[in-house]
């Protein structure tokens, strides 16, 4: 008989996650400045349905209701992001007290509900004035980011229990600067590489700034997944190796080993790279992995046409390798393959590569989008989402049984929300949002999660 629920060690941290622009709304309130996502969503044809985060799930006003949902879910932690443009409206210069006040209220509400606040400092909402000066392509941003970290750390450091300066620098680089399908919408190809270096340097400086402000338990939330070669032919194996270097090790090697994975990449970076790497490799207390899916990559086909488009693959065209469909797996309604063994493989590949240099892992995001039906009598059946979390948690439990130090799992996301370029069409939440009324309805997966947490030994 299979166990009814995946089984985790005592003390394992259960959480749910969100991000400021995806949920808050209230973009013009209390002195918030503009971010690149305000600009991007105002441009035609950038986002499905012309959607914006101007209202989103109205979390800015309904955070008490959302914290009550988290409390009833039984999670030990809530991962949210702080909107940089609320705290420093121009990206540099004066701090906006009202912006800090909002997160102060949210953090107090969480503490009163016995939920550990876990704060991300940058979940993609670069202040527009900094983007106008080059954004993450320009080195100046790193010091402004550290100043912002200081302001937040000094105000919230006594109550926030986990800190993540960055969320998914790979996605900001690839989608935001290399391909242009996310804000700020620049299509620089390999000229986007400075954005890698500056995000990592900003991360190192912000980590130091947070520690100086008395904050502890600092890590990152970085997106990773295995890259599977399309076949065992040499050309496909090399293509997969190159791709995994670009999407995985390019980000984690500097943080965990203090170097870039290959010399060519180090040489492509701007500034005093060796000195910067010392800052970038400031020790972390944990390493947060966001896992969604594996990628299959093969050598480029011998045609002159563009690379095939594979949903969710982070790959620009015109390269000596290309994404291939991940066959043999079911897909979510977003088209992403559901491959729980990819999560186990991801944490094992980190454990193998970094050994003693790897701090404890948290899964800082994992989840799936299904186009759930509207609630009927307060009920939203979403068995596919239950199956997703159940299977991924079982895979993770196996990795822990193998001896890998994984300390927690944050479901993405507590509620449905603004899914970036996909707008509101994609629903990742454990709680359904009716965007016309802002009514929250817990889905079956919410109740499943609640029962699963309740059944854990800890
Ligand atoms: C991740 C993002 C998060 C959310 C999920 C579905 O890449 O960090 O904001 O959009 O994907």
């Amino acid at each position: 008989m299979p166990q009814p629920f995946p089984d985790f060690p005592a003390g394992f941290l259960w959480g749910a996650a969100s991000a400021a622009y995806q949920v808050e709304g209230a973009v013009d309130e209390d002195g918030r400045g503009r971010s690149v996502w305000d600009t991007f969503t105002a441009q035609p044809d950038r986002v499905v349905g012309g959607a914006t985060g101007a209202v989103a799930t109205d979390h800015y006003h309904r955070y008490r209701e959302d914290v009550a949902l988290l409390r009833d879910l039984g999670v030990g932690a809530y991962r949210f992001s702080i909107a940089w443009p609320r705290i420093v409206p121009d990206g540099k210069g004066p701090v906006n007290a009202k912006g800090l006040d909002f997160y102060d209220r949210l953090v107090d509400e969480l503490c009163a509900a016995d939920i550990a606040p876990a704060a991300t400092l940058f979940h993609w909402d670069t202040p527009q004035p900094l983007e106008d000066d080059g954004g993450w392509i320009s080195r100046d941003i790193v010091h402004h980011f550290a100043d912002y970290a200081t302001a937040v750390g000094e105000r919230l450091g006594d109550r926030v229990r986990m800190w993540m300066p960055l969320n998914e620098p790979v996605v900001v680089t690839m989608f935001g600067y290399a391909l242009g399908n996310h804000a700020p919408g620049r299509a620089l190809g390999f000229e986007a590489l400075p954005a890698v270096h500056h995000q990592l340097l900003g991360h190192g400086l912000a980590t130091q700034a947070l520690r100086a402000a008395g904050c502890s338990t600092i890590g990152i939330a970085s997106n990773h997944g295995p890259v599977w070669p399309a076949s065992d032919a040499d050309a496909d194996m090399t293509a997969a190796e190159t791709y995994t270097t670009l999407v995985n090790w390019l980000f984690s090697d500097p943080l965990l080993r203090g170097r870039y994975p290959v010399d060519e990449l180090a040489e492509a970076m701007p500034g005093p790279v060796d000195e910067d790497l010392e800052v970038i490799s400031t020790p972390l207390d944990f390493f947060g992995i966001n896992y969604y899916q594996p990628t299959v990559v093969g050598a480029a086909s011998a045609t002159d046409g563009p690379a095939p488009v594979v949903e969710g693959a982070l790959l620009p065209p015109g390269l000596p390798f290309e994404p291939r469909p991940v066959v043999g797996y079911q897909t979510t309604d977003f088209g992403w393959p559901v491959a729980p063994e990819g999560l186990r493989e991801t944490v094992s590949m980190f454990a193998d590569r970094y050994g003693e240099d790897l701090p404890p892992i948290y899964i800082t995001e994992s989840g799936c989008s299904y186009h759930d039906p509207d609630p009927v009598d307060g009920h939203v059946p979403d068995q596919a989402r239950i199956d997703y979390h159940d299977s991924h948690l079982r895979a993770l439990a196996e990795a822990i049984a193998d001896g890998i130090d994984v300390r927690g799992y944050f479901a993405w996301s507590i509620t449905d929300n603004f899914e970036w370029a996909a707008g509101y069409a994609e629903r990742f939440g454990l709680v359904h949002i009716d965007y016309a009324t802002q009514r929250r309805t817990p889905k079956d997966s919410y109740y499943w999660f609640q029962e699963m947490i309740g059944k854990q030994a800890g």
Side-chain angles (χ1 to χ4, degrees):
M1 261 281 280
Q3 291 291 323
F5 288 107
D7 196 16
F8 280 81
F12 190 81
L13 183 67
W14 298 100
S18 74
Y21 190 73
Q22 296 181 273
V23 297
E24 286 179 359
V27 291
D28 294 322
E29 269 177 68
D30 292 337
R32 175 187 178 277
R34 288 183 69 77
S35 86
V36 293
W37 275 94
D38 298 305
T39 306
F40 188 77
T41 54
Q43 294 163 359
D45 302 327
R46 290 295 206 175
V47 174
V48 172
T52 80
V55 176
T57 72
D58 197 29
H59 175 73
Y60 193 78
H61 301 114
R62 292 168 198 260
Y63 70 92
R64 287 198 181 85
E65 190 181 347
D66 292 338
V67 172
L69 284 163
L70 289 158
R71 184 198 56 218
D72 293 349
L73 182 58
V75 289
Y78 174 46
R79 177 174 171 240
F80 60 96
S81 87
I82 294 173
W84 187 355
R86 283 197 197 281
I87 310 301
V88 191
D90 292 330
K92 57 184 166 189
V95 168
N96 173 33
K98 285 189 173 171
L100 281 171
D101 290 347
F102 168 67
Y103 297 103
D104 203 83
R105 293 194 295 276
L106 172 64
V107 162
D108 277 350
E109 189 78 10
L110 289 164
C111 293
D114 214 11
I115 299 169
T120 311
L121 291 184
F122 176 65
H123 204 124
W124 306 357
D125 42 4
T126 312
Q128 185 60 45
L130 294 185
E131 187 56 43
D132 295 340
D133 291 342
W136 290 101
I137 299 296
S138 155
R139 190 178 178 92
D140 291 346
I141 195 169
V142 302
H143 301 291
H144 303 313
F145 187 56
D147 290 345
Y148 154 59
T150 298
V152 174
E154 285 178 348
R155 180 72 180 266
L156 303 178
D158 55 339
R159 286 154 291 153
V160 168
R161 290 281 152 267
M162 292 174 82
W163 294 92
M164 289 141 283
L166 292 188
N167 180 72
E168 299 191 352
V170 66
V171 175
V172 172
T173 305
M174 292 284 210
F175 285 0
Y177 288 95
L179 296 174
N181 50 342
H182 274 191
R186 302 189 66 186
L188 301 174
F190 276 99
E191 302 293 309
L193 280 175
V196 175
H197 191 68
H198 294 143
Q199 285 180 88
L200 294 175
L201 181 57
H203 185 271
L205 290 169
T207 299
Q208 295 178 354
L210 288 171
R211 285 212 176 106
C215 305
S216 52
T217 318
I218 305 171
I220 190 168
S222 193
N223 179 298
H224 295 282
V227 178
W228 295 337
S231 77
D232 55 13
D234 284 351
D236 286 340
M237 301 283 280
T238 306
E241 194 60 40
T242 308
Y243 186 67
T244 204
T245 299
L246 284 175
V247 298
N248 287 312
W249 314 134
L250 174 59
F251 296 87
S252 51
D253 276 10
L255 293 163
L256 296 173
R257 285 181 162 168
R259 57 176 190 259
Y260 281 105
V262 291
D263 291 345
E264 291 87 329
L265 286 167
E267 283 154 18
M269 297 305 175
V273 174
D274 290 342
E275 259 171 61
D276 292 348
L277 282 163
E278 284 180 28
V279 177
I280 291 170
S281 58
T282 301
L284 297 177
D285 303 301
F286 69 92
F287 195 89
I289 292 178
N290 295 358
Y291 171 78
Y292 287 93
Q293 56 183 315
T295 311
V296 172
V297 168
S301 18
T303 61
D304 290 336
V309 174
V310 174
E311 196 63 55
L314 302 171
L315 206 58
L319 297 171
F321 43 84
E322 63 189 24
R324 302 282 172 79
V326 182
V327 287
Y329 291 87
Q330 293 189 333
T331 54
T332 69
D333 287 347
F334 206 175
W336 296 2
V338 179
E341 64 269 47
L343 175 56
R344 182 179 181 178
E345 190 179 334
T346 302
V347 295
S348 332
M349 77 194 193
F350 269 76
D352 290 348
R353 189 171 179 93
Y354 299 112
E356 295 285 295
D357 295 331
L358 182 65
I361 293 174
Y362 285 82
I363 303 306
T364 35
E365 281 180 28
S366 190
C368 51
S369 168
Y370 289 99
H371 302 167
D372 307 303
D374 290 339
V376 175
D377 297 332
H379 183 64
V380 181
D382 64 338
Q383 186 60 41
R385 187 171 291 102
I386 295 174
D387 292 344
Y388 177 97
H389 287 291
D390 181 67
S391 59
H392 285 70
L393 285 169
R394 284 173 199 273
L396 197 61
E398 285 170 15
I400 294 171
D402 290 344
I404 300 174
D405 187 4
V406 184
R407 304 265 178 102
Y409 179 92
F410 289 76
W412 182 271
S413 178
I414 179 62
T415 59
D416 295 335
N417 57 49
F418 174 76
E419 178 47 34
W420 309 113
Y424 294 100
E426 303 304 332
R427 292 180 177 270
F428 279 87
L430 301 177
V431 175
H432 177 275
I433 299 280
D434 176 339
Y435 290 103
T437 61
Q438 292 295 350
R439 190 185 171 88
R440 277 102 166 109
T441 307
K443 304 177 190 176
D444 283 359
S445 57
Y446 173 97
Y447 294 112
W448 177 87
F449 222 83
Q450 187 182 53
E451 194 179 350
M452 188 270 303
I453 295 173
K455 292 271 161 62
Q456 299 299 318

